[in-house]
Amino acid sequence: MAETAPDTTRIARATEMLLAVRQGGAPAHGLGESAPANEAEAMAIQRAVLARRGGTIGGWKCATPPGKPVSQALLDTRGIMAGPASWMVAPGAKIGIETEVAFRMSRSLPPRATPWTREEVTDAVAECVPAIELVATRYADMTAVSLLEAMADNVAHAGLVLGAPVPDWRERDLNDLTVHQSAGGVTQVARRGANPAGDPLLSLTRLANHLHAFGLQLEAGQVVTTGSWTGLLWVPGGQRIIGGFEGLGEVVVALG
């Protein structure tokens, strides 16, 4: 059965609600009757909010654990920064931080008759870098909204800080790394393991093929970050955040 066409009225209402929060309004308690009914509507809301804010798509975040739906959010080019970087946190507020593995694409991956394979997608990667994603929700309680509502809000994405490219990343096992993350000199996470998908390149491959359903594709130069290795940890401003991986380097963010 064909999927119902996106409801443009619902998309417009949700866009206005999320923009109002971004412009200083009170956090939303969900989108109510304006919540997206399907993934196409959630993606349309993301794109509408970005367009109204004058932004462009500089990349994507994705989380694709095996057996679960692809969850993706576009990244505003203006929020992608090279580390070390600074990020302002409002007085009394907190920002979420996650250490991740990200990739920059060397070429675009347009739709075609057969899906792109993991090997082909890997070959289209220009760089692998450690990254810290900065997280800020437009909801009063991000755990109380549906997956589609979370996706409409870019899965709470705020910004992405990138470390230096890893020269020999293709020879490394990206499914098994030692990650570390600290805030204000205090270690928050130090362990060996993997991200939720197990294989960051599998997440990248699933995203590359999944975007075609929405008339989108991975573009040359775009950055894709592939899920948290540390879990989401909330910290106040005024701290120096360091996140990274053994053998891949680290990223530094100074929170103002």
Side-chain angles (χ1 to χ4, degrees):
M1 181 181 296
E3 188 174 86
T4 304
D7 185 322
T8 56
T9 300
R10 184 162 52 228
I11 292 168
R13 288 198 303 256
T15 298
E16 293 300 331
M17 292 174 70
L18 293 170
L19 279 171
V21 180
R22 288 179 178 272
Q23 293 165 355
H29 292 277
L31 296 176
E33 294 182 354
S34 301
N38 51 52
E39 193 176 354
E41 290 188 1
M43 293 296 293
I45 294 166
Q46 285 192 35
R47 297 174 73 179
V49 169
L50 181 70
R52 289 281 299 278
R53 298 180 68 226
T56 57
I57 300 175
W60 298 88
K61 64 177 286 185
C62 63
T64 60
K68 294 187 178 181
V70 177
S71 174
Q72 72 277 331
L74 59 83
L75 310 184
D76 190 334
T77 303
R78 298 168 297 186
I80 302 173
M81 302 161 284
S86 299
W87 188 271
M88 293 304 299
V89 180
K94 292 185 177 183
I95 189 82
I97 54 173
E98 299 178 328
T99 299
E100 309 193 1
V101 171
F103 303 98
R104 188 183 301 276
M105 306 307 298
S106 63
R107 58 186 176 87
S108 302
L109 296 174
R112 65 180 194 181
T114 56
W116 293 97
T117 67
R118 181 184 182 278
E119 291 72 24
E120 291 172 322
V121 172
T122 301
D123 187 59
V125 171
E127 298 174 346
C128 172
V129 299
I132 290 179
E133 186 189 7
L134 300 159
V135 176
T137 179
R138 269 56 66 174
Y139 296 117
D141 182 357
M142 63 185 290
T143 67
V145 300
S146 69
L147 175 61
L148 289 174
E149 286 173 294
M151 195 178 297
D153 182 41
N154 295 74
V155 198
H157 176 73
L160 187 70
V161 183
L162 305 177
V166 182
D168 59 348
W169 69 272
R170 294 177 190 273
E171 285 99 55
R172 296 184 178 274
D173 183 1
L174 299 183
N175 308 333
D176 183 17
L177 296 171
T178 297
V179 62
H180 63 270
Q181 181 174 289
S182 65
V186 177
T187 298
Q188 296 177 302
V189 178
R191 62 170 174 258
R192 187 167 184 169
N195 79 350
D199 180 358
L201 288 163
L202 177 60
S203 285
L204 183 66
T205 302
R206 291 187 68 191
L207 176 70
N209 290 305
H210 193 64
L211 288 177
H212 299 159
F214 312 105
L216 295 162
Q217 64 184 37
L218 287 184
E219 304 279 1
Q222 287 185 343
V223 173
V224 180
T225 188
T226 54
S228 177
W229 291 62
T230 56
L232 175 57
L233 298 171
W234 297 90
V235 299
Q239 300 186 75
R240 187 170 185 259
I241 308 301
I242 303 175
F245 301 89
E246 183 179 334
L248 297 187
E250 61 186 26
V251 192
V252 178
V253 185
L255 300 179

